[in-house]
Amino acid sequence: MKSLLKKLKTVFLSLIKGTIFVLINIISFLFSRKIDETVFGEYVVRGCKRSELYLVANFLIEMRSNAISSPYRKIIYLLFSEKTIFIAIKNSGNKEIEILGVNLYYVNLQDFKNSTVHGGYIGVSQKKQGLGIATNLRCSAKKHFYNSGFVGISSRISVSNIASLRTAQKMGYIVESKYYDYSTNEERYYMICKLGSTNDVK
């Protein structure tokens, strides 16, 4: 009986947290602008259309990422894909879309309090590494969220991930705190890139 009550309590708390997550994202993105399209030579960065979500899902499977495994995140991305999902696609003019990179965002409770948005995932196809795609995805995000009224972008990076840490610092991310993530059994940094002026988003 006690174990059953404990399971019910866990499920109930999870539902409450998930509902709060969905609500704060609806409040944050309902009236925000859509992502602008930007051409970077051979590829384009723009928002993901709802009809293209399956392509993003396939890309994440290929990259072995569970970035949209949460049912609550799926709801947000379904509702606001053109405001929260940046995709880099080949600039070929063909109807067939080839995704080269993906950058996902959402708002958690801490972000909601701070008027920031959280970078949930960024990835570039193995065949397209070294072309500056990740940098341009991040730059497009900084410009978009600055223009949408957010004051910063938050990120969580493993202490052991030196490469990602260096890249984030080059993009203007500053370590706010260090904590132990029991879900991944590792130390992580909570970082924020402040969007204080138009110079920050060029």
Side-chain angles (χ1 to χ4, degrees), residues 124-169:
V124 175
S125 172
Q126 294 292 333
K127 296 179 288 185
K128 300 296 179 180
Q129 299 282 339
L131 299 178
I133 294 174
T135 298
N136 286 325
L137 281 167
R138 285 193 175 100
C139 287
S140 296
K142 289 173 73 174
K143 182 177 180 181
H144 168 71
F145 289 120
Y146 174 80
N147 291 331
S148 297
F150 291 92
V151 302
I153 301 174
S154 68
S155 181
R156 299 178 191 275
I157 299 177
S158 301
V159 172
S160 60
N161 195 340
I162 305 300
S164 291
L165 183 60
R166 286 176 179 169
T167 301
Q169 288 173 328

Side-chain angles (χ1 to χ4, degrees), residues 20-183:
I20 292 172
F21 174 81
V22 170
L23 287 175
I24 63 177
N25 277 270
I26 289 174
I27 293 169
S28 299
F29 295 119
L30 185 61
F31 299 109
S32 67
R33 56 191 291 164
K34 292 181 179 180
I35 299 165
D36 293 327
E37 181 176 303
T38 308
V39 178
F40 294 98
E42 295 182 356
Y43 62 91
V44 174
V45 172
R46 62 167 173 80
C48 174
K49 297 174 184 177
R50 189 177 295 180
S51 60
E52 298 166 343
L53 283 171
Y54 77 98
L55 294 173
V56 171
N58 290 340
F59 177 87
L60 293 174
I61 290 171
E62 188 178 309
M63 297 295 288
R64 297 180 181 178
S65 169
N66 62 350
I68 56 171
S69 60
S70 163
Y72 303 108
R73 288 190 201 177
K74 286 178 181 177
I75 291 171
I76 298 309
Y77 293 139
L78 183 64
L79 291 173
F80 305 114
S81 64
E82 292 186 79
K83 301 178 180 183
T84 60
I85 302 177
F86 294 75
I87 57 173
I89 60 173
K90 196 171 183 179
N91 187 21
S92 61
N94 296 332
K95 289 185 178 180
E96 188 175 341
I97 297 171
E98 180 185 353
I99 293 186
L100 312 178
V102 171
N103 198 189
L104 308 174
Y105 291 85
Y106 59 84
V107 173
N108 57 40
L109 189 56
Q110 188 170 354
D111 290 308
F112 190 64
K113 293 175 182 176
N114 297 334
S115 297
T116 57
V117 61
H118 188 71
Y121 172 82
I122 185 166
V124 175
S125 172
Q126 294 292 333
K127 296 179 288 185
K128 300 296 179 180
Q129 299 282 339
L131 299 178
I133 294 174
T135 298
N136 286 325
L137 281 167
R138 285 193 175 100
C139 287
S140 296
K142 289 173 73 174
K143 182 177 180 181
H144 168 71
F145 289 120
Y146 174 80
N147 291 331
S148 297
F150 291 92
V151 302
I153 301 174
S154 68
S155 181
R156 299 178 191 275
I157 299 177
S158 301
V159 172
S160 60
N161 195 340
I162 305 300
S164 291
L165 183 60
R166 286 176 179 169
T167 301
Q169 288 173 328
K170 286 180 182 178
M171 295 295 297
Y173 283 84
I174 299 171
V175 174
E176 291 283 315
S177 61
K178 183 180 178 182
Y179 68 99
Y180 190 83
D181 190 335
Y182 289 95
S183 64

